[in-house]
Amino acid sequence: MAHSDFLYPENPRRRQEVNRLHQQLLDCLSDSFHATNKLIGVLNTHLGCTLASTEMKRDGTIKENCDIIIQAIMNIQNELQKVDEALKEKLEPTLYRKLQDIKERETEKIAIVQKVISVILGEATSAASAVAVKLVGSNVTTGIINKLVTVLAQIGASLLGSIGIAVLGLGIDMIFRAILGAVEKTQLQAAIKSYEKHLVEFKSASEKYHHAITEVTDIVKHQMK
């Protein structure tokens, strides 16, 4: 037991709690990187994009890694915006509005996109049409992606932002010291509360994001059968 633990008997419990919360946050970050790369792979393969994959910066801070994902998502959104603008230009207004209608069946939306996708991409595949419908014609998916960006930005701007992610492989005491190095001792309790608060939102946003990307990849597999 560290000498300070005699003066601050809550320290051992706090060390355990900080370690647990830190690992959960990094798990969510890792999942977000993985899901983003899956989405990038789908867009590059089926919509002709040339997006670069993302990679966690192991020697970076939490903020730096949040920013990497945010930038990757912004690049994805720019590509999807181009597809959306092309669809709006090529489709009749009534058909384009159907793409935005949540009551319209997905199969009908895919059939609509199929009419013009070859003009936009130079080739026509049902998989490409399905990806466009899932990512461009779905306000639900757009909302999920935007929510993740918002949560990541909040985490980066919080007390947690300056904490390095490389401390994950270290012992509990080392993690604790690293976090103490990033925040004032008097802010430790606030940092723990910040972990707890942001984790709730991040877990929810990350899970929905991962689920949305899985839906996209599943529909691609179905269309390619």
Side-chain angles (χ1 to χ4, degrees):
M1 180 181 287
H3 176 69
S4 60
D5 291 347
F6 290 104
L7 299 176
Y8 306 100
E10 286 294 297
N11 274 0
R13 182 188 64 78
R14 288 177 184 170
R15 286 193 187 93
Q16 293 282 355
E17 184 66 3
V18 165
N19 181 56
R20 183 182 68 81
L21 294 170
H22 187 70
Q23 291 194 37
Q24 286 185 19
L25 182 69
L26 295 195
D27 286 344
C28 286
L29 267 177
S30 179
D31 286 347
S32 295
F33 271 101
H34 179 66
T36 300
N37 283 334
K38 279 177 67 176
L39 179 55
I40 286 171
V42 168
L43 294 177
N44 287 349
T45 301
H46 298 286
L47 294 187
C49 300
T50 56
L51 294 162
S53 60
T54 63
E55 186 176 349
M56 184 178 282
K57 189 177 181 181
R58 298 289 173 181
D59 60 347
T61 63
I62 288 174
K63 182 183 187 309
E64 286 174 324
N65 280 279
C66 286
D67 287 345
I68 290 171
I69 300 175
I70 290 172
Q71 185 58 56
I73 291 176
M74 288 174 64
N75 293 340
I76 288 169
Q77 289 175 320
N78 287 338
E79 292 298 320
L80 295 177
Q81 181 65 30
K82 293 176 186 176
V83 175
D84 185 36
E85 289 171 357
L87 288 172
K88 191 172 184 178
E89 178 187 343
K90 302 298 181 184
L91 288 170
E92 295 176 5
T94 53
L95 291 178
Y96 180 77
R97 283 196 294 271
K98 282 187 176 183
L99 288 183
Q100 313 301 320
D101 188 351
I102 60 174
K103 296 178 182 178
E104 195 72 32
R105 288 188 304 172
E106 203 164 78
T107 51
E108 292 297 325
K109 290 184 177 183
I110 292 173
I112 290 170
V113 173
Q114 192 74 13
K115 297 175 187 292
V116 296
I117 199 71
S118 61
V119 178
I120 297 171
L121 302 179
E123 61 177 342
T125 67
S126 56
S129 299
V131 171
V133 167
K134 271 291 185 184
L135 295 172
V136 178
S138 172
N139 290 328
V140 174
T141 304
T142 302
I144 289 171
I145 292 174
N146 288 339
K147 177 62 177 177
L148 181 67
V149 168
T150 299
V151 172
L152 286 169
Q154 289 172 345
I155 291 172
S158 72
L159 279 172
L160 309 180
S162 59
I163 297 171
I165 67 167
V167 296
L168 177 59
L170 305 177
I172 293 174
D173 283 346
M174 290 295 290
I175 294 173
F176 194 67
R177 285 176 199 151
I179 292 172
L180 279 178
V183 300
E184 295 292 333
K185 288 186 179 182
T186 54
Q187 292 181 303
L188 182 58
Q189 280 290 75
I192 292 174
K193 288 180 180 178
S194 185
Y195 267 117
E196 292 172 337
K197 173 183 178 294
H198 290 299
L199 263 175
V200 171
E201 293 184 336
F202 193 14
K203 277 185 177 180
S204 175
S206 180
E207 286 171 3
K208 289 176 181 176
Y209 179 64
H210 197 279
H211 180 71
I213 305 311
T214 300
E215 280 192 351
V216 173
T217 55
D218 285 349
I219 197 170
V220 167
K221 291 176 184 176
H222 177 73
Q223 293 294 327
M224 294 181 70
K225 286 182 179 178

